[in-house]
């Protein structure tokens, strides 16, 4: 390993450590931009290569920012709160039914509005819904966090990794979705089967238990179950509403999806439909005073975009060096089932070692000549894999220390155990399904 | 001596009623609710993986919601007890549920807890993992109640094939 390769690896480690520790709440870009400059100045990557990487990543970053703005505007219109209300009523306090509905809603939210929307916007609403129904919130929280990863296979917009892979794969938006539909469904079904067994006690216990309705029926001594104050007033926490699902955002999101579908025949880039949707929904929210310019700017998180660009340059330098060659040597080639499984396994391993974003940035240049099937298999690995350790195992170590410093015990054993049960199963199921899709549809 | 009532979402009313029927009027009743740390942990983990996107922390919102919900549950349980000569105390904690409950049970006379598993059938599955741990490790007497009417005796599983009745 030459010294500028060492600099690149150290820069990547530094960027990731900074991103997890976030000293003084500085944005991640504070470390990523100097790290990117460092690898270029030390010769780890030429200025032309760095520029090429930036221009490749920029449309992807714009696409992601547009999707983040769309999701936040949907939240401001009350979409997620209304969904929570619908789930609360339709589940009739039955935790098994609620879990099934949470699976459907979380899978669709992740697929259409990206995993960020599920983690940041949907999860608190689902917790509120479960708490209000007086059922254990544990399975439902895990369902949201797991599906944010494993249900992000369907559309290019579901995950930043998919957007990064889309152009490298040479697939159109619709073809991508067509090939990933079967893996998406199979992976979700695998998660569901494990969840039903893993959380059997939580899901059956409250089925006969006393919910709020019984509470008011069982006697004059028990007061009506009060709605948690956070659900009533605090704007920071969306409450499960009784209002119907708002139509405006649904129509807008439907039009954007339609745009993605017709983008290829019209020879337009899908990103422009996302940008149009983001601008339209933001304007709609601003006019209706559901949104403020400040909130839109925050949802767009431009600092995140800069972080991704910086990270992309640093990872490019790492991929061009000895580490990239080492990964290249262990990546199987060919389109056989075992080759695809091998690519997915390496991708899942790297996603857990680093984080899914740098893992995919590292893999993409190595997979460029191996066909769309290999790239989609890598996506199964980097998207589903993080359910094993979430942040990536190195990062998890740091993250545990951060939590400890804040006096929080992360209950790591439970989610590692659940991850160990779901991830190997769903990665294998996903690759089997992908292999079938490729055989049926062709890549 | 003290009677500790473990308040959970599914069984709090039955537990409060059982405590009222069992406690001596001079005994203090302590109502305790523990929010599982996993609620926060799972959300924090997923959020931590979203490098660079942290304008709103779902884990903090979940803590807020869980705390409000626990307080509402404890308030409802306190109201169900009504006035009690021995006095009522409420405790709200967050952490490893079963271990927190066992720790709270140190020095009390009686712990009242509800079954939290499959409460439709008689058998070991009617105790969820946390209840099983608490029953196994409680440093005091335990009163284990059904959250609703107990299942019919017909749901008793048949004896294993090699089981011979005692002479």
């Amino acid at each position: 390993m030459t010294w500028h390769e060492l600099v690149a690896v150290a820069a990547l480690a530094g960027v990731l450590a900074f991103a997890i520790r976030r000293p003084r709440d500085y944005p991640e870009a504070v470390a990523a931009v100097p790290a990117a400059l460092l690898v270029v100045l030390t010769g780890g990557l030429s200025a032309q290569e760095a520029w090429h990487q930036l221009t490749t990543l920029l449309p992807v970053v714009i696409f992601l920012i547009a999707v983040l703005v769309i999701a936040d505007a949907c939240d401001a219109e009350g979409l997620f709160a209304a969904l929570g209300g619908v789930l609360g009523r339709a589940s009739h306090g039955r935790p098994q039914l609620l879990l099934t509905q949470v699976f459907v809603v979380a899978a669709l939210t992740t697929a259409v509005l990206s995993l960020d929307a599920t983690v940041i916007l949907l999860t608190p609403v689902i917790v509120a819904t479960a708490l209000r129904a007086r059922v254990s919130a544990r399975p439902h929280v895990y369902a949201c966090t797991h599906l944010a990863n494993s249900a992000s296979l369907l559309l290019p917009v579901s995950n930043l990794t998919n957007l990064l892979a889309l152009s490298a794969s040479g697939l159109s938006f619709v073809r991508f979705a067509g090939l990933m539909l079967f893996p998406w469904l199979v992976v979700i079904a695998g998660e569901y089967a494990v969840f039903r067994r893993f959380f059997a006690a939580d899901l059956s216990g409250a089925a006969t238990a006393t919910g709020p309705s019984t509470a008011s029926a069982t006697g004059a001594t028990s007061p009506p179950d009060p709605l948690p104050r956070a659900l009533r007033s605090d704007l920071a926490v969306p409450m499960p509403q009784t209002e119907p699902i708002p139509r405006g955002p649904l129509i807008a999101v439907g039009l954007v999806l339609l745009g993605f579908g017709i983008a290829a025949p019209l020879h337009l880039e899908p990103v422009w439909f996302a940008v149009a949707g983001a601008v339209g929904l933001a304007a709609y929210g601003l006019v209706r005073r559901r949104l403020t310019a400040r909130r839109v700017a925050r949802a767009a998180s431009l600092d995140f975009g800069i972080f991704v660009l910086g990270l992309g340059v640093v990872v490019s330098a790492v991929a061009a060096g000895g580490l990239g060659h080492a990964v290249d040597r262990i990546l199987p080639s060919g389109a056989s089932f075992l080759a695809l499984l091998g690519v997915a396994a390496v991708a899942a391993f790297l996603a857990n070692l680093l984080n899914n974003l740098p893992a995919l940035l590292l893999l993409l240049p190595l997979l460029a000549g191996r066909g769309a099937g290999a790239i989609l298999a890598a996506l199964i690995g980097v998207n589903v894999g993080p359910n094993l350790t979430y942040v990536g195992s190195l990062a998890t170590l740091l993250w545990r220390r951060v939590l400890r410093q804040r006096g929080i015990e992360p209950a790591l054993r439970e989610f590692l155990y659940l991850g160990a049960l779901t991830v190997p199963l769903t990665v294998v199921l996903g690759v089997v399904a992908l292999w079938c899709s490729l055989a049926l549809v062709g890549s | 001596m003290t009677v500790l009532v473990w308040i959970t979402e599914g069984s709090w009313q039955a537990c409060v009623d059982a405590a009222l029927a069992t406690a001596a009027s001079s005994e203090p009743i302590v109502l305790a609710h523990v929010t599982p740390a996993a609620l926060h942990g799972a959300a924090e983990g997923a959020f931590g993986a979203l490098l660079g996107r942290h304008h709103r922390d779902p884990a903090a919102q979940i803590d807020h919601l869980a705390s409000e919900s626990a307080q509402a549950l404890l308030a409802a349980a306190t109201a169900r007890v009504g006035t009690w000569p021995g006095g009522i105390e409420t405790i709200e904690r967050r952490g490893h549920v079963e271990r927190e409950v066992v720790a709270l049970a140190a020095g009390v006379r009686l712990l009242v807890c509800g079954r939290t598993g499959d409460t439709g059938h008689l058998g070991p599955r009617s105790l969820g993992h946390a209840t099983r741990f608490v029953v196994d490790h409680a440093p005091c007497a335990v009163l284990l109640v059904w959250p609703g009417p107990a299942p019919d005796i017909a749901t008793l599983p048949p004896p294993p094939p090699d089981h011979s009745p005692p002479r």
Side-chain angles (χ1 to χ4, degrees), chain A residues 28 116 205 208 210 229 231 236, chain B residues 13 53 61 65 68 117 119:
Chain A
E28 287 81 350
D116 298 53
T208 55
T210 44
R229 196 165 52 246
L231 303 184
Chain B
Q13 287 146 313
R53 287 155 280 178
Q61 289 183 319
L65 283 167
E68 292 267 356
T119 49

Side-chain angles (χ1 to χ4, degrees), chain A residues 88-101:
Chain A
R89 289 191 298 280
S91 62
H92 304 292
R94 288 163 56 196
Q96 285 183 6
L97 191 55
L98 182 62
L99 183 73
T100 309
Q101 293 167 345

